[in-house]
Amino acid sequence: DIQMTQSPSSLSASVGDRVTITCQASQAISDYLNWYQQKPGKAPKLLIYDASSLASGVPSRFSGSGSGTDFTFTISSLQPEDIATYYCQQYDNLFLTFGGGTKVEIE
Amino acid sequence: QVQLVESGGGVVQPGRSLRLSCAASGFTFSTYGMHWVRQAPGKGLEWVAVILYDGSNKFYADSVKGRFTISRDNSENTLYLQMNSLRAEDTAVYYCAKGAVRGIIANYFDYWGQGTLVTVSS
């Protein structure tokens, strides 16, 4: 299976800060990489698909980039409602795998 | 609007069985692959299984292969997960999720259900 290594596992930032999360795949996955947001007690929500495409209705402060093995997820200006855990997910092969998650908190 | 509603969770003893259901509405169920994803308490997301739109292909995570069976009834717009020989480590919230791209297996998830909790404990 393809392993997804996400970092950091948690971070604390101020409102308005730029926040960056990275995800590294154990082998090249082209751009088959997605990002989800999960708030406590809720189901995950798709934010970014195919590494850099913004899902419908998602604010433009969220973005993604990368290809191959190294990917980045960015919140350009952190808002209070962005407090959540973020997961990357690869779909290069049939056995889908997620990163371990990054918990984002407000300082 | 797309809705996915899971049911069937509960408390079950180790070694016993449980069947989860996911009722789908708001889209053409018979043209999309469907997945189960689980999340143990306080842990991350783990993909469990996928079934192709017509039920012709199914794939499982190694952790559940041989014990869980995914199936679907396209006439009833319902997805199932039959879970046998349950273990304590199967304790999790189980989500059904819709594949975003019609007709393929490997995919991302554009809609999720609210989840149903399965607790395996004696």
Side-chain angles (χ1 to χ4, degrees):
Chain A
D1 290 0
I2 298 173
Q3 307 303 315
M4 306 301 296
T5 303
Q6 199 173 327
S7 62
S9 56
S10 65
L11 65 88
S12 184
S14 300
V15 173
D17 281 356
R18 183 180 185 88
V19 169
T20 298
I21 299 168
T22 64
C23 187
Q24 185 171 59
S26 59
Q27 64 189 68
I29 58 170
S30 185
D31 61 353
Y32 299 127
L33 191 283
N34 314 301
W35 293 95
Y36 301 86
Q37 175 193 65
Q38 186 179 32
K39 296 184 177 181
K42 300 294 187 182
K45 173 187 174 183
L46 178 67
L47 298 181
I48 302 288
Y49 64 95
D50 292 347
S52 60
S53 296
L54 199 65
S56 177
V58 173
S60 59
R61 65 180 180 275
F62 297 102
S63 65
S65 65
S67 67
T69 60
D70 296 303
F71 301 86
T72 301
F73 171 80
T74 300
I75 307 173
S76 60
S77 176
L78 186 67
Q79 300 300 304
E81 60 267 32
D82 300 336
I83 299 315
T85 300
Y86 294 83
Y87 294 94
C88 61
Q89 176 243 328
Q90 67 79 22
Y91 71 108
D92 181 69
N93 69 21
L94 300 175
F95 302 97
L96 312 179
T97 48
F98 291 88
T102 297
K103 187 174 184 179
V104 175
E105 298 174 314
I106 297 283
E107 278 182 347
Chain B
Q1 70 282 20
V2 172
Q3 279 199 308
L4 299 171
V5 180
E6 301 95 338
S7 60
V11 180
V12 60
Q13 293 179 329
R16 305 297 292 266
S17 300
L18 204 61
R19 189 177 83 155
L20 306 183
S21 300
C22 171
S25 61
F27 65 104
T28 308
F29 181 73
S30 60
T31 63
Y32 289 89
M34 295 294 296
H35 301 252
W36 288 99
V37 177
R38 69 184 181 182
Q39 186 170 37
K43 302 297 184 182
L45 300 167
E46 180 188 16
W47 173 79
V48 172
V50 59
I51 184 168
L52 196 56
Y53 63 95
D54 60 357
S56 61
N57 278 291
K58 309 170 187 182
F59 296 91
Y60 302 90
D62 286 345
S63 58
V64 307
K65 195 177 301 181
R67 299 187 299 121
F68 289 12
T69 301
I70 189 172
S71 62
R72 64 191 298 159
D73 184 339
N74 285 345
S75 67
E76 295 289 333
N77 290 345
T78 302
L79 175 72
Y80 300 101
L81 185 68
Q82 177 67 43
M83 304 185 295
N84 298 333
S85 302
L86 281 161
R87 306 166 180 168
E89 54 264 36
D90 296 319
T91 294
V93 173
Y94 285 74
Y95 296 100
C96 66
K98 171 184 168 293
V101 180
R102 181 178 289 138
I104 66 172
I105 284 274
N107 220 320
Y108 52 96
F109 315 115
D110 55 353
Y111 291 94
W112 299 63
Q114 85 287 352
T116 188
L117 176 62
V118 173
T119 302
V120 184
S121 174
S122 55

